[in-house]
Amino acid sequence: METKRKIYIFDTTLRDGEQCPGASLTPSEKLEIARQLERLNVDIIEAGFPAASMGEIEAIQQISKALKRPVICGLARMVEQDIDAVRQALKYAKKKRLHVFLATSKIHREYKLKKNQSEILKLSVEKIRYGKRFFDDIEFSPEDASRTERDFLVEVIGAAIDAGATTVNIPDTVGYALPNEFGDLIQFLVRKLPALGSEVNLSVHCHNDLGLAVANSLAAVRNGANQVECTVNGIGERAGNAALEEIVMAIDTRQDETGFRDSFTEICAEEIIKSSRLVSRLTGMVVQPNKAIVGRNAFSHESGIHQDGILKLRQTYEIIDPKRIGLSGSQLILGKHSGRHAFRERLEKLNFHLSPKETDAVFERFKRLADQKKYVFDRDIETIVEEQMSRIPETWQLVYLKTSSETGEKPKATIRLKQKKKVYEASSSGDGPVDACYKAIEKIVKMNVKLVDYAIQSATSGKDAVGEVNVKLEMGGQEVQGRGTSTDVIEASVKAYLFALNKICAQFGKVKRAPV
Ligand code: KIV
Ligand code: ZN
């Protein structure tokens, strides 16, 4: 019978992740992230580097007191004071691990540590033995392992296991390894030291300097590693660490692949998005929109062909169900690439049940609008439908709009409007850019209308919020209302004004005007 191999997820967001420039966290922020990591169900949380400060020790103590399930780990150099700091930091932890590291590569030995191989070996054994007096669970990392001579690496790791290390971690400290090479290194180590990956946990810790941290970690899993060190959103020193969400979802998604068929993690994938957003908000490290799994665009589709495919069968363009990682669903962005299928779907969602003919007419207006602006929001669609359904002919169509305002100068506006096939243009100044636009429109349309009300509000939130303008125009004792939306409030104002004007034209019949 096939037995599944658990891959332990060792999260180092609060240690290596926090080491990235500008990402430092307050103790209460660290605690908030730690609680979320517990909900995410990571196996081990590396909560920090206790020797760094008393504040760090206290922060780790708080985490240790609050968390029940995961192992809490503290990092130490091969120095007794560092190990004592970890003891102090972890004194309240229900499950604890000491993580000691020492560089083993030639370049680090000669230039950084100024120690030879036997000194490194002796120091490692001595300090692991010291740690063993206080900790059952000890992880040893030969820093820069991927650039260490293989024979020496085997020798140090063997000695560390004999001294009491229960997990051996192989760091690709500078992100130098390539997947085939790193996988081969792991295979080599398992062959030389068969306890690795069974009695002794075999971990990997990959940095992303060549963008290969996740690929290297996965190559290691395929070749015998049973623990992966990673961070939420891949934050960490320099180009970062392997991203937790990518490793977890790759193993989960590619269960068909021989290397992962027998492997699983116990991560609660539904907590991935929440974890990503929390870490991004508290560290201030913005997630790039196209970041795998957690980027804003990872489950967004704009092309009409893709939207059509998604609506027929989600799997045509999505390899992961967005609900699996805690999102509400795929996002179809309506823009100029969108097709009829996605548009119809959105109309239904907005509760507009139109006939095929009406849908065609609204779709045409939508396409025209999408040519002018990047994204078409639900409020825009509502306006389009409202305009279409009220059967108000677009007597006047906005073709072009330019405004200028500067301190000490009266704002100016130039407007071009189309009526049938003719285009009219006028310029005007005004008390503000909106007033200038309205005056320019009056010059073109030459209708005796009076603006009796103007109100502006935000229809969506965020930096690119859509402004919604409502106006009331009066003509011949009758008031009409118009609404316009746009990310540009001047444009929204003009659209609202024209909407109301077109209603008037519809009510009063054709209004005579002179070409400019
Ligand atoms: O990158 C590295 O080598 C480390 C060790 C401390 C594991 O962060
Ligand atoms: Zn690291």
Side-chain angles (χ1 to χ4, degrees), residues 12 15-16 19 46 75 99 101 139 141-144 169 171-174 205 207 229 237-238 241:
T12 182
R15 199 278 296 170
D16 219 334
Q19 272 170 233
E46 188 164 52
L75 182 69
H99 180 189
F101 75 101
E139 174 167 327
S141 288
E143 192 191 7
D144 205 15
N169 178 42
D172 180 27
T173 303
V174 289
H205 175 111
H207 277 271
E229 302 200 353
E237 285 273 6
R238 307 181 307 281
N241 289 60

Side-chain angles (χ1 to χ4, degrees), residues 6 9-13 32-45 67 69-70 230-233 243-245 248-249 265-279 294 324-326:
K6 170 162 169 169
I9 298 296
F10 177 115
D11 182 278
T12 182
T13 307
E32 202 179 335
I33 293 178
R35 286 189 198 278
Q36 179 57 32
L37 292 173
E38 186 173 47
R39 285 190 282 273
L40 185 61
N41 210 26
V42 305
D43 299 288
I44 305 113
I45 294 178
L67 270 49
R69 206 205 47 80
C230 44
T231 59
V232 173
N233 297 339
L244 178 149
E245 60 280 2
V248 168
M249 292 317 291
T265 75
E266 283 188 325
I267 290 298
C268 174
E270 287 72 19
E271 292 291 328
I272 283 180
I273 280 292
K274 262 196 228 148
S275 309
S276 165
R277 290 183 183 161
L278 180 70
V279 168
V294 291
R324 177 99 185 84
I325 59 153

Side-chain angles (χ1 to χ4, degrees), residues 306-314 316 332 341-343 345:
H306 290 208
Q307 291 182 345
D308 180 56
I310 286 278
L311 290 167
K312 285 174 176 150
L313 181 71
R314 189 189 55 73
T316 52
L332 304 188
H341 192 166
F343 183 69
E345 201 80 9

